[in-house]
Structure formats: C-alpha cells, structure tokens
Amino acid sequence: NAGVTQTPKFRVLKTGQSMTLLCAQDMNHEYMYWYRQDPGMGLRLIHYSVGEGTTAKGEVPDGYNVSRLKKQNFLLGLESAAPSQTSVYFCASSGGRNEQYFGPGTRLTVT
Amino acid sequence: AQRVTQPEKLLSVFKGAPVELKCNYSYSGSPELFWYVQYSRQRLQLLLRHISRESIKGFTADLNKGETSFHLKKPFAQEEDSAMYYCALSRTSGSRLTFGEGTQLTVNP
C-alpha cells in the first residue's frame, strides 16, 4: 500500500498562474482533506470531502477549489495564484472519526 | 467554535530530562483529542489519542476535562524525540480535526 500520495512535491508559480495538486489514497477511505501548513499557524483546513462527489469548505477556502470525482482522488486547484498561497500543502484521508493519514506534502512557492 | 492552543512554539530540553508539551482546547461538547508528530522531512503521523489511553514511544497524555487540557508528557526525553508536535481535536460528530499551532521540540545531547 502506498497510503496517501501527493503530486507534485515541489512547485514554483508566478502570481496569476494556475495549478492543480493531486492527492491519491489506496485505503478506500471515505474522507479526504486538504490542509496548508504555515509557520506559527499550524495546519489549517482548506477543503474536505466526506465521499465521492462531495466537497465542503474548511477554515481557509478562499482562492482554492477542489473536486472529488473518484473516491481515491482529491484535487486542489489554484485558479490565480497569489504570494499569500506560498505554503506547504498536505492531503490526508480517514475512514471516519479516527486517525487521519497524511501525504508527504507539496511545497508551493508563488513569486 | 472549537479551538486548540499550544502556548509554546519552541521547547528545548536536554536528553534524559522530563518533557511536557502543553495543549489547551475550547469546545462545549465531548471532544476526541489527538497528538500528531512530524519528524524532520517526514509526513505527519498519529502519535496517540486520548481514548486509547496508550503510551507510545514513552509518551502519555491525559485528557483533563476540568482544565480543558491534553498535555503530552515523557519522563525521559531522547534525541530522537526532536520533532514538531501538533495537538488536534475532533468534535463529537464528524471527522474534521482542528489543529493547534504546533510545538517544535528539540532534545539536546
């Protein structure tokens, strides 16, 4: 089992560019999450999904969109990147009200 | 709304010394509390959860509902304990976690 994987690992964008981060899990989990990690602010939930075809907003959803077309994949999109979106992005999945399994993270820099 | 606070951003101790990482929460219901750890260049992983009442890698944490705290303790710190530690809360219903700001623990030789 690969667990939770994320692509890409690193990315540099210019302001205004768009990109999509891909998260994949092979544990048949219903729940998937996207977080951003910033120094001194911990992990903040961007969007999450409680099942295939569903998405919901988290704490800091502005500037991001998500899609969960397949149960195993959860995509995070930035339509027009801003320097404030420079961060490390983590995807996670869980089978319910229990342990979340995290991906290795994507380091994004927006110049 | 629920909130998790970790008052220490940085904590430094010497090897063999006791260590306590503080976590306070605010939530009116019955929460489930977790500690997650992120070692250097690794992904976050669950260290322990309060309902398990386990000791993992020598760490323990007791949920104190009166003080709304879930402090992480270890009697004798080891250098390999150096990492970022996050306290997290799950509400009575649902699967979302609310994380604290994190505490970077450094154990010096």
Side-chain angles (χ1 to χ4, degrees):
Chain A
N1 282 354
V4 180
T5 58
Q6 294 180 230
T7 53
K9 289 185 169 55
F10 304 93
R11 186 72 186 268
V12 178
L13 288 179
K14 293 185 177 179
T15 298
Q17 288 184 320
S18 63
M19 77 164 294
T20 300
L21 282 69
L22 171 63
C23 176
Q25 53 96 2
D26 61 3
M27 296 173 282
N28 201 35
H29 284 164
E30 290 293 334
Y31 300 84
M32 296 188 74
Y33 314 84
W34 275 107
Y35 296 92
R36 59 177 291 172
Q37 182 186 42
D38 301 291
M41 304 188 78
L43 277 80
R44 292 180 293 169
L45 183 65
I46 304 171
H47 286 280
Y48 65 103
S49 169
V50 299
E52 181 179 319
T54 73
T55 63
K57 293 180 180 179
E59 301 172 60
V60 289
D62 294 342
Y64 305 95
N65 57 75
V66 288
S67 64
R68 183 99 181 267
L69 299 179
K70 294 182 178 180
K71 186 177 184 178
Q72 63 268 33
N73 295 337
F74 195 29
L75 279 64
L76 177 71
L78 286 73
E79 291 185 347
S80 181
S84 60
Q85 294 178 304
T86 293
S87 187
V88 180
Y89 292 85
F90 286 99
C91 176
S93 71
S94 79
R97 189 170 175 247
N98 49 27
E99 179 177 358
Q100 289 190 14
Y101 294 83
F102 284 82
T106 295
R107 189 172 295 274
L108 175 65
T109 300
V110 183
T111 61
Chain B
Q2 64 275 16
R3 182 169 179 170
V4 178
T5 303
Q6 294 178 247
E8 303 138 329
K9 289 186 179 180
L10 302 171
L11 185 61
S12 182
V13 301
F14 286 103
K15 176 183 175 182
V19 62
E20 181 179 65
L21 289 83
K22 291 184 168 53
C23 172
N24 294 96
Y25 68 91
S26 61
Y27 178 58
S28 57
S30 295
E32 186 169 356
L33 275 296
F34 305 82
W35 277 99
Y36 280 79
V37 61
Q38 185 180 24
Y39 300 103
S40 180
R41 301 183 186 280
Q42 295 187 26
R43 64 186 71 192
L44 277 86
Q45 57 187 284
L46 178 67
L47 180 62
L48 54 79
R49 54 200 301 181
H50 88 270
I51 62 171
S52 299
R53 296 184 173 274
E54 294 175 305
S55 174
I56 305 294
K57 298 185 179 182
F59 284 97
T60 59
D62 291 319
L63 179 59
N64 186 323
K65 292 186 177 182
E67 296 183 357
T68 60
S69 67
F70 188 56
H71 302 328
L72 183 67
K73 301 176 183 180
K74 185 170 183 177
F76 307 103
Q78 303 299 314
E79 290 180 67
E80 56 265 29
D81 296 328
S82 296
M84 177 70 83
Y85 291 81
Y86 290 99
C87 183
L89 175 153
S90 174
R91 299 181 301 177
T92 306
S93 61
S95 65
R96 292 174 56 176
L97 288 176
T98 298
F99 283 87
E101 305 92 337
T103 297
Q104 179 68 50
L105 173 66
T106 301
V107 181
N108 299 299

